[in-house]
Amino acid sequence: MNAHDAAEPADILLVEDNPGDVRLTKEAFKDGQITNTLHVVDDGVEALDFLFQRNEYEDAPIPDLVLLDLNLPRKNGDEVLAELHEDPRRRRIPVIVLTSSEAETDVVKSYELCACGYLTKPVDPDEFISTVRELEQFWLSIMRLPSESNLD
């Protein structure tokens, strides 16, 4: 089963502390042709609470896809990836690093921590929106992901 079937909206977690990038991502998803629910948290601690269904997020869905910035307050993206990788249930959630960093060391470390992809955010707002739409199309229409019931 694809989490991206038209009848079943995909749950996407955006972990981003830049309000401008959040707005652009929401705009790209709103205009997309794929039904989805975008959840947004703005730091690494909240991301882990959401992903592990703790505190105010105990009723949160397990996301079908995570878009993760690396440069986050409280816990950075690498720390989030490392904790996800340690959990047998959550390590299968596809995580795409979506960051402004072009550093090769960040790319290598993200993949070592089992990120499924690494995208550098375009500076131009129109290019940013286009990149997010293409990412959404690929991960939620083309790729086959495990259903939540198979993440146990």
Side-chain angles (χ1 to χ4, degrees), residues 59-104:
D59 293 326
I62 299 292
D64 298 299
L65 178 66
V66 176
L67 303 177
L68 178 68
D69 190 14
L70 290 181
N71 303 310
L72 298 166
R74 301 203 296 163
K75 282 197 180 211
N76 67 35
D78 291 340
E79 293 170 301
V80 172
L81 281 168
E83 285 194 42
L84 282 178
H85 183 65
E86 292 299 316
D87 184 85
R89 182 171 184 216
R90 284 155 184 89
R91 76 173 58 145
R92 294 187 199 151
I93 299 169
V95 178
I96 306 299
V97 173
L98 184 60
T99 186
S100 55
S101 174
E102 295 183 16
E104 184 66 18

CSV table of all heavy atoms in Angstrom, one decimal, residues 59-104:
chain,number,residue,atom,x,y,z
A,59,ASP,N,-1.1,12.0,20.3
A,59,ASP,CA,-2.1,11.6,19.3
A,59,ASP,C,-1.6,11.9,17.9
A,59,ASP,O,-2.4,11.7,17.0
A,59,ASP,CB,-3.4,12.3,19.6
A,59,ASP,CG,-4.1,11.8,20.9
A,59,ASP,OD1,-3.9,10.6,21.3
A,59,ASP,OD2,-4.7,12.6,21.6
A,60,ALA,N,-0.4,12.3,17.7
A,60,ALA,CA,0.1,12.6,16.4
A,60,ALA,C,0.2,11.4,15.6
A,60,ALA,O,0.5,10.3,16.1
A,60,ALA,CB,1.5,13.3,16.5
A,61,PRO,N,0.0,11.5,14.3
A,61,PRO,CA,0.2,10.3,13.4
A,61,PRO,C,1.7,10.1,13.2
A,61,PRO,O,2.5,11.0,13.3
A,61,PRO,CB,-0.5,10.7,12.1
A,61,PRO,CG,-0.3,12.2,12.1
A,61,PRO,CD,-0.5,12.7,13.5
A,62,ILE,N,2.0,8.8,12.9
A,62,ILE,CA,3.4,8.5,12.4
A,62,ILE,C,3.4,9.0,11.0
A,62,ILE,O,2.6,8.6,10.1
A,62,ILE,CB,3.6,7.0,12.4
A,62,ILE,CG1,3.5,6.4,13.8
A,62,ILE,CG2,5.0,6.7,11.8
A,62,ILE,CD1,4.6,6.9,14.8
A,63,PRO,N,4.3,10.0,10.7
A,63,PRO,CA,4.3,10.6,9.4
A,63,PRO,C,4.8,9.6,8.3
A,63,PRO,O,5.6,8.7,8.5
A,63,PRO,CB,5.3,11.7,9.5
A,63,PRO,CG,6.1,11.5,10.7
A,63,PRO,CD,5.3,10.6,11.6
A,64,ASP,N,4.3,9.8,7.1
A,64,ASP,CA,4.7,9.1,5.9
A,64,ASP,C,6.0,9.5,5.4
A,64,ASP,O,6.7,8.8,4.7
A,64,ASP,CB,3.6,9.2,4.8
A,64,ASP,CG,2.3,8.6,5.3
A,64,ASP,OD1,2.2,7.4,5.6
A,64,ASP,OD2,1.3,9.4,5.3
A,65,LEU,N,6.4,10.8,5.7
A,65,LEU,CA,7.6,11.4,5.2
A,65,LEU,C,8.0,12.6,6.2
A,65,LEU,O,7.1,13.3,6.7
A,65,LEU,CB,7.3,12.0,3.8
A,65,LEU,CG,8.5,12.7,3.1
A,65,LEU,CD1,9.6,11.8,2.8
A,65,LEU,CD2,8.0,13.4,1.8
A,66,VAL,N,9.3,12.7,6.4
A,66,VAL,CA,9.8,13.8,7.2
A,66,VAL,C,10.7,14.7,6.3
A,66,VAL,O,11.6,14.1,5.7
A,66,VAL,CB,10.5,13.3,8.5
A,66,VAL,CG1,11.1,14.5,9.2
A,66,VAL,CG2,9.6,12.5,9.3
A,67,LEU,N,10.5,16.0,6.4
A,67,LEU,CA,11.4,16.9,5.7
A,67,LEU,C,12.1,17.6,6.9
A,67,LEU,O,11.5,18.3,7.7
A,67,LEU,CB,10.6,17.9,4.9
A,67,LEU,CG,9.7,17.4,3.8
A,67,LEU,CD1,9.0,18.5,3.1
A,67,LEU,CD2,10.6,16.6,2.8
A,68,LEU,N,13.4,17.4,6.9
A,68,LEU,CA,14.2,17.8,8.1
A,68,LEU,C,15.3,18.8,7.8
A,68,LEU,O,16.2,18.5,7.0
A,68,LEU,CB,14.8,16.6,8.7
A,68,LEU,CG,15.7,16.7,9.9
A,68,LEU,CD1,14.9,17.2,11.1
A,68,LEU,CD2,16.4,15.4,10.2
A,69,ASP,N,15.2,20.0,8.4
A,69,ASP,CA,16.3,20.9,8.4
A,69,ASP,C,17.4,20.4,9.3
A,69,ASP,O,17.1,19.8,10.3
A,69,ASP,CB,15.8,22.3,8.8
A,69,ASP,CG,16.8,23.4,8.5
A,69,ASP,OD1,17.8,23.2,7.8
A,69,ASP,OD2,16.6,24.5,9.0
A,70,LEU,N,18.6,20.8,9.0
A,70,LEU,CA,19.7,20.4,9.9
A,70,LEU,C,20.0,21.3,11.0
A,70,LEU,O,20.3,21.0,12.1
A,70,LEU,CB,21.0,20.2,9.1
A,70,LEU,CG,21.1,19.0,8.1
A,70,LEU,CD1,22.4,18.9,7.5
A,70,LEU,CD2,20.8,17.7,8.9
A,71,ASN,N,19.9,22.6,10.7
A,71,ASN,CA,20.2,23.7,11.6
A,71,ASN,C,19.0,24.1,12.4
A,71,ASN,O,18.2,25.0,12.1
A,71,ASN,CB,20.8,24.9,10.9
A,71,ASN,CG,22.0,24.5,10.1
A,71,ASN,OD1,22.9,23.8,10.6
A,71,ASN,ND2,22.0,24.8,8.8
A,72,LEU,N,18.8,23.4,13.5
A,72,LEU,CA,17.6,23.5,14.4
A,72,LEU,C,18.0,23.9,15.8
A,72,LEU,O,19.0,23.5,16.3
A,72,LEU,CB,16.8,22.3,14.4
A,72,LEU,CG,16.2,21.7,13.1
A,72,LEU,CD1,15.7,20.3,13.2
A,72,LEU,CD2,15.1,22.6,12.6
A,73,PRO,N,17.1,24.6,16.5
A,73,PRO,CA,17.4,24.9,17.9
A,73,PRO,C,17.1,23.6,18.7
A,73,PRO,O,16.4,22.7,18.3
A,73,PRO,CB,16.4,26.0,18.3
A,73,PRO,CG,15.4,26.1,17.1
A,73,PRO,CD,16.0,25.3,16.0
A,74,ARG,N,17.7,23.6,19.9
A,74,ARG,CA,17.5,22.6,21.0
A,74,ARG,C,18.2,21.3,20.6
A,74,ARG,O,19.0,20.7,21.3
A,74,ARG,CB,16.1,22.4,21.4
A,74,ARG,CG,15.6,23.8,22.0
A,74,ARG,CD,14.4,23.6,22.9
A,74,ARG,NE,13.2,23.0,22.3
A,74,ARG,CZ,12.2,22.5,23.0
A,74,ARG,NH1,12.3,22.5,24.3
A,74,ARG,NH2,11.2,22.0,22.4
A,75,LYS,N,17.8,20.7,19.5
A,75,LYS,CA,18.5,19.5,18.9
A,75,LYS,C,18.6,19.7,17.4
A,75,LYS,O,17.6,20.0,16.8
A,75,LYS,CB,17.7,18.2,19.2
A,75,LYS,CG,17.8,17.7,20.7
A,75,LYS,CD,17.4,16.3,20.8
A,75,LYS,CE,17.6,15.9,22.2
A,75,LYS,NZ,17.9,14.5,22.4
A,76,ASN,N,19.8,19.4,16.9
A,76,ASN,CA,19.9,19.6,15.5
A,76,ASN,C,19.4,18.4,14.7
A,76,ASN,O,19.1,17.4,15.2
A,76,ASN,CB,21.4,20.0,15.1
A,76,ASN,CG,22.3,18.9,15.4
A,76,ASN,OD1,22.0,17.7,15.2
A,76,ASN,ND2,23.5,19.3,15.8
A,77,GLY,N,19.4,18.6,13.4
A,77,GLY,CA,18.9,17.5,12.5
A,77,GLY,C,19.7,16.2,12.6
A,77,GLY,O,19.1,15.1,12.5
A,78,ASP,N,21.0,16.3,12.8
A,78,ASP,CA,21.8,15.1,13.0
A,78,ASP,C,21.3,14.3,14.2
A,78,ASP,O,21.3,13.1,14.2
A,78,ASP,CB,23.3,15.4,13.1
A,78,ASP,CG,23.9,15.9,11.8
A,78,ASP,OD1,23.3,15.7,10.7
A,78,ASP,OD2,24.9,16.6,11.9
A,79,GLU,N,21.1,15.0,15.3
A,79,GLU,CA,20.6,14.4,16.5
A,79,GLU,C,19.2,13.7,16.3
A,79,GLU,O,19.0,12.6,16.8
A,79,GLU,CB,20.6,15.4,17.7
A,79,GLU,CG,21.9,15.9,18.1
A,79,GLU,CD,21.9,17.1,19.1
A,79,GLU,OE1,21.3,18.1,18.7
A,79,GLU,OE2,22.4,16.9,20.2
A,80,VAL,N,18.4,14.4,15.6
A,80,VAL,CA,17.1,13.8,15.3
A,80,VAL,C,17.2,12.5,14.5
A,80,VAL,O,16.7,11.5,14.8
A,80,VAL,CB,16.2,14.8,14.5
A,80,VAL,CG1,14.9,14.2,14.1
A,80,VAL,CG2,15.9,16.0,15.4
A,81,LEU,N,18.1,12.6,13.4
A,81,LEU,CA,18.3,11.4,12.6
A,81,LEU,C,18.9,10.2,13.4
A,81,LEU,O,18.5,9.1,13.3
A,81,LEU,CB,19.3,11.7,11.5
A,81,LEU,CG,18.7,12.4,10.3
A,81,LEU,CD1,19.8,13.0,9.4
A,81,LEU,CD2,17.7,11.5,9.5
A,82,ALA,N,19.8,10.6,14.3
A,82,ALA,CA,20.4,9.5,15.1
A,82,ALA,C,19.4,8.8,16.0
A,82,ALA,O,19.4,7.6,16.1
A,82,ALA,CB,21.6,10.1,16.0
A,83,GLU,N,18.5,9.6,16.7
A,83,GLU,CA,17.5,9.0,17.5
A,83,GLU,C,16.5,8.2,16.8
A,83,GLU,O,16.1,7.1,17.2
A,83,GLU,CB,16.8,10.1,18.4
A,83,GLU,CG,17.7,10.6,19.5
A,83,GLU,CD,17.0,11.4,20.5
A,83,GLU,OE1,15.9,11.0,20.9
A,83,GLU,OE2,17.6,12.4,21.0
A,84,LEU,N,16.1,8.7,15.6
A,84,LEU,CA,15.2,7.9,14.7
A,84,LEU,C,15.9,6.6,14.3
A,84,LEU,O,15.2,5.5,14.3
A,84,LEU,CB,14.8,8.7,13.5
A,84,LEU,CG,13.8,9.8,13.6
A,84,LEU,CD1,13.6,10.5,12.3
A,84,LEU,CD2,12.5,9.2,14.2
A,85,HIS,N,17.1,6.6,14.0
A,85,HIS,CA,17.8,5.4,13.5
A,85,HIS,C,17.9,4.4,14.6
A,85,HIS,O,17.9,3.2,14.3
A,85,HIS,CB,19.2,5.8,13.0
A,85,HIS,CG,19.9,4.6,12.4
A,85,HIS,ND1,19.5,3.9,11.3
A,85,HIS,CD2,21.0,4.0,12.8
A,85,HIS,CE1,20.3,2.9,11.1
A,85,HIS,NE2,21.3,2.9,12.0
A,86,GLU,N,17.9,4.8,15.8
A,86,GLU,CA,18.0,3.8,17.0
A,86,GLU,C,16.7,3.1,17.2
A,86,GLU,O,16.7,2.1,17.9
A,86,GLU,CB,18.5,4.6,18.2
A,86,GLU,CG,19.9,5.1,18.1
A,86,GLU,CD,20.9,4.0,17.9
A,86,GLU,OE1,20.8,2.9,18.6
A,86,GLU,OE2,21.8,4.1,17.1
A,87,ASP,N,15.6,3.6,16.8
A,87,ASP,CA,14.3,3.0,17.1
A,87,ASP,C,13.9,2.1,15.9
A,87,ASP,O,13.7,2.6,14.8
A,87,ASP,CB,13.3,4.2,17.3
A,87,ASP,CG,11.9,3.6,17.7
A,87,ASP,OD1,11.7,3.4,18.9
A,87,ASP,OD2,11.1,3.4,16.8
A,88,PRO,N,13.6,0.9,16.2
A,88,PRO,CA,13.3,-0.1,15.1
A,88,PRO,C,12.0,0.3,14.3
A,88,PRO,O,11.9,0.1,13.1
A,88,PRO,CB,13.1,-1.4,15.8
A,88,PRO,CG,13.7,-1.3,17.1
A,88,PRO,CD,13.7,0.2,17.5
A,89,ARG,N,11.0,0.9,15.0
A,89,ARG,CA,9.8,1.3,14.4
A,89,ARG,C,9.9,2.5,13.5
A,89,ARG,O,9.4,2.6,12.4
A,89,ARG,CB,8.7,1.5,15.4
A,89,ARG,CG,7.4,1.8,14.8
A,89,ARG,CD,6.2,1.8,15.8
A,89,ARG,NE,5.0,2.0,15.1
A,89,ARG,CZ,4.0,2.7,15.6
A,89,ARG,NH1,4.1,3.2,16.8
A,89,ARG,NH2,2.9,2.9,14.9
A,90,ARG,N,10.7,3.5,14.0
A,90,ARG,CA,10.7,4.8,13.3
A,90,ARG,C,11.9,4.9,12.3
A,90,ARG,O,11.9,5.8,11.5
A,90,ARG,CB,10.8,5.9,14.4
A,90,ARG,CG,9.4,6.1,15.0
A,90,ARG,CD,9.5,6.7,16.3
A,90,ARG,NE,8.1,6.7,16.9
A,90,ARG,CZ,7.6,5.8,17.6
A,90,ARG,NH1,8.2,4.6,17.8
A,90,ARG,NH2,6.3,5.9,18.1
A,91,ARG,N,12.8,4.0,12.3
A,91,ARG,CA,13.9,4.1,11.4
A,91,ARG,C,13.5,3.9,10.0
A,91,ARG,O,14.2,4.2,9.0
A,91,ARG,CB,15.1,3.1,11.8
A,91,ARG,CG,14.8,1.7,11.4
A,91,ARG,CD,16.0,0.8,11.6
A,91,ARG,NE,16.4,0.9,13.0
A,91,ARG,CZ,16.9,-0.1,13.7
A,91,ARG,NH1,17.1,-1.3,13.1
A,91,ARG,NH2,17.3,0.0,14.9
A,92,ARG,N,12.3,3.3,9.8
A,92,ARG,CA,11.8,3.1,8.4
A,92,ARG,C,11.1,4.3,7.8
A,92,ARG,O,10.7,4.3,6.6
A,92,ARG,CB,10.9,1.9,8.4
A,92,ARG,CG,11.6,0.6,8.7
A,92,ARG,CD,10.6,-0.5,8.5
A,92,ARG,NE,11.2,-1.7,9.2
A,92,ARG,CZ,10.4,-2.6,9.7
A,92,ARG,NH1,9.1,-2.6,9.6
A,92,ARG,NH2,10.9,-3.7,10.3
A,93,ILE,N,10.8,5.3,8.6
A,93,ILE,CA,10.2,6.5,8.1
A,93,ILE,C,11.2,7.3,7.2
A,93,ILE,O,12.3,7.6,7.6
A,93,ILE,CB,9.8,7.5,9.3
A,93,ILE,CG1,8.8,6.8,10.2
A,93,ILE,CG2,9.2,8.8,8.7
A,93,ILE,CD1,8.5,7.5,11.5
A,94,PRO,N,10.8,7.5,6.0
A,94,PRO,CA,11.7,8.2,5.1
A,94,PRO,C,11.9,9.7,5.6
A,94,PRO,O,11.0,10.4,5.8
A,94,PRO,CB,11.1,8.2,3.7
A,94,PRO,CG,9.7,7.7,3.9
A,94,PRO,CD,9.6,7.1,5.3
A,95,VAL,N,13.2,10.0,5.7
A,95,VAL,CA,13.6,11.4,6.1
A,95,VAL,C,14.4,12.0,5.0
A,95,VAL,O,15.4,11.4,4.6
A,95,VAL,CB,14.4,11.4,7.4
A,95,VAL,CG1,14.8,12.8,7.8
A,95,VAL,CG2,13.6,10.7,8.5
A,96,ILE,N,13.9,13.1,4.5
A,96,ILE,CA,14.7,13.9,3.5
A,96,ILE,C,15.2,15.1,4.2
A,96,ILE,O,14.5,15.9,4.8
A,96,ILE,CB,13.7,14.3,2.3
A,96,ILE,CG1,13.0,13.1,1.7
A,96,ILE,CG2,14.5,15.1,1.3
A,96,ILE,CD1,13.9,12.1,1.1
A,97,VAL,N,16.5,15.3,4.1
A,97,VAL,CA,17.1,16.5,4.7
A,97,VAL,C,16.9,17.6,3.7
A,97,VAL,O,17.2,17.5,2.5
A,97,VAL,CB,18.6,16.3,5.0
A,97,VAL,CG1,19.3,17.6,5.4
A,97,VAL,CG2,18.8,15.2,6.0
A,98,LEU,N,16.3,18.7,4.1
A,98,LEU,CA,16.0,19.9,3.3
A,98,LEU,C,16.6,21.0,4.0
A,98,LEU,O,16.1,21.5,5.0
A,98,LEU,CB,14.5,20.0,3.1
A,98,LEU,CG,14.0,21.1,2.2
A,98,LEU,CD1,14.5,21.0,0.8
A,98,LEU,CD2,12.5,21.2,2.2
A,99,THR,N,17.8,21.4,3.6
A,99,THR,CA,18.6,22.4,4.4
A,99,THR,C,19.3,23.4,3.5
A,99,THR,O,19.4,23.2,2.2
A,99,THR,CB,19.6,21.6,5.2
A,99,THR,OG1,20.3,22.5,6.1
A,99,THR,CG2,20.6,20.9,4.4
A,100,SER,N,19.8,24.4,4.1
A,100,SER,CA,20.6,25.4,3.3
A,100,SER,C,22.1,25.0,3.2
A,100,SER,O,22.8,25.6,2.4
A,100,SER,CB,20.5,26.8,3.9
A,100,SER,OG,20.9,26.7,5.3
A,101,SER,N,22.5,24.0,4.0
A,101,SER,CA,23.9,23.6,4.0
A,101,SER,C,24.3,22.9,2.7
A,101,SER,O,23.6,21.9,2.3
A,101,SER,CB,24.2,22.7,5.2
A,101,SER,OG,25.5,22.2,5.1
A,102,GLU,N,25.4,23.3,2.1
A,102,GLU,CA,26.0,22.6,0.9
A,102,GLU,C,27.2,21.9,1.3
A,102,GLU,O,27.9,21.3,0.4
A,102,GLU,CB,26.2,23.6,-0.2
A,102,GLU,CG,25.0,24.3,-0.8
A,102,GLU,CD,25.3,25.2,-1.9
A,102,GLU,OE1,26.4,25.1,-2.5
A,102,GLU,OE2,24.4,26.0,-2.3
A,103,ALA,N,27.5,21.8,2.6
A,103,ALA,CA,28.8,21.2,3.1
A,103,ALA,C,28.8,19.7,2.8
A,103,ALA,O,27.8,19.0,3.2
A,103,ALA,CB,29.0,21.5,4.5
A,104,GLU,N,29.8,19.2,2.2
A,104,GLU,CA,29.9,17.8,1.9
A,104,GLU,C,29.9,17.0,3.2
A,104,GLU,O,29.3,15.9,3.2
A,104,GLU,CB,31.2,17.5,1.1
A,104,GLU,CG,31.4,16.1,0.7
A,104,GLU,CD,30.4,15.6,-0.4
A,104,GLU,OE1,29.7,16.5,-1.0
A,104,GLU,OE2,30.2,14.4,-0.5
